Amino acid sequence: LRKFNYLQNPRYKPLANNFRQILDSVLSSSAALQPGADGTVKTVHAGTQIFNPKPSVVHFAEYEVSEVYELPVRLYNASRILQRVRVLPPASAHFSVSLVQYPGDDGLVAPGMYCEFTVRFLPDTLADYEEVLHVATEHGVMSIPLLARRLPPNLTIPDAIDVGDCFVNDRRTVVLPCKNEGGRGRFILVPDSEWPDPPEDIAGRSGA
């Protein structure tokens, strides 16, 4: 009998045998939150890269307490065949994701097409938050960083203040122009004797 060597359909290539090990290692790792050589974080792929997320980092820069903020995320199929994808819910209670919206009703994403979902953020403080969103495909797992970092305030104050000459028992007033070149914030001048542990009534002082 003559033997024929047919090309295998790429859709039915065997999946990674160690997919469970890949998933377990990714879920227990925070590699996506580790800055790279350029000092930034980015999406980390474990296994074969099938989808390209846009944006690659979900960043909430402006937020207030108890308000809900949303950002859309698209997953583009970079392969040459139909693919499935599953978005795992974040572990943090401050982040959540909506249901994934697929191009069709079969839950498959065609090459070059994308599926979309929404990341929701509900802060209870103005502190920084970070979490990793894991997305499982048929050939691996990718980890998308979720960041909530407000732009810190940056008040321009000279390192030394020269009030000039002043007579005994006299008072001299010097006006210092100050500009906040960062994010929104509240400022108060604290004497050196009360730093770094200011008294409890500092919040109620004038100008605080």
Side-chain angles (χ1 to χ4, degrees):
L1 296 178
R2 185 178 177 182
K3 183 178 180 181
F4 293 93
N5 293 325
Y6 294 101
L7 293 178
Q8 186 180 24
N9 189 325
R11 173 154 188 78
Y12 298 103
K13 286 184 178 181
L15 303 180
N17 295 328
N18 60 340
F19 181 80
R20 174 51 61 180
Q21 288 80 0
I22 293 177
L23 181 60
D24 293 339
S25 62
V26 168
L27 294 179
S28 60
S29 173
S30 58
L33 298 177
Q34 303 300 323
D38 56 354
T40 61
V41 296
K42 60 182 180 180
T43 297
V44 175
H45 297 269
T48 304
Q49 180 177 347
I50 301 298
F51 286 88
N52 293 327
K54 292 184 186 255
S56 60
V57 177
V58 181
H59 184 198
F60 297 89
E62 292 291 339
Y63 50 89
E64 299 293 338
V65 177
S66 300
E67 296 289 339
V68 179
Y69 301 88
E70 297 182 348
L71 285 177
V73 178
R74 292 181 176 181
L75 302 177
Y76 287 84
N77 183 2
S79 68
R80 294 180 296 177
I81 59 175
L82 293 170
Q83 297 287 349
R84 291 184 175 89
V85 65
R86 179 184 179 187
V87 179
L88 305 181
S92 173
H94 301 101
F95 295 96
S96 61
V97 294
S98 66
L99 295 177
V100 181
Q101 297 180 356
Y102 295 96
D105 298 333
D106 53 3
L108 295 173
V109 183
M113 299 296 290
Y114 65 87
C115 60
E116 187 175 20
F117 62 91
T118 301
V119 177
R120 298 187 181 94
F121 173 54
L122 176 60
D124 53 10
T125 67
L126 296 180
D128 294 343
Y129 297 85
E130 58 182 25
E131 183 57 79
V132 179
L133 180 65
H134 300 291
V135 179
T137 68
E138 295 180 292
H139 300 275
V141 181
M142 62 180 174
S143 303
I144 304 176
L146 305 180
L147 304 178
R149 297 174 181 173
R150 301 172 77 244
L151 182 64
N154 182 19
L155 191 63
T156 59
I157 298 180
D159 296 333
I161 301 176
D162 185 7
V163 298
D165 299 330
C166 184
F167 295 104
V168 178
N169 296 327
D170 196 2
R171 174 180 297 178
R172 186 178 180 87
T173 302
V174 177
V175 178
L176 298 175
C178 300
K179 182 180 179 181
N180 181 15
E181 298 180 346
R184 291 190 304 167
R186 301 172 64 190
F187 304 90
I188 186 171
L189 300 179
V190 181
D192 186 66
S193 59
E194 297 181 354
W195 183 264
D197 299 318
E200 296 181 355
D201 64 340
I202 190 172
R205 297 183 184 181
S206 176

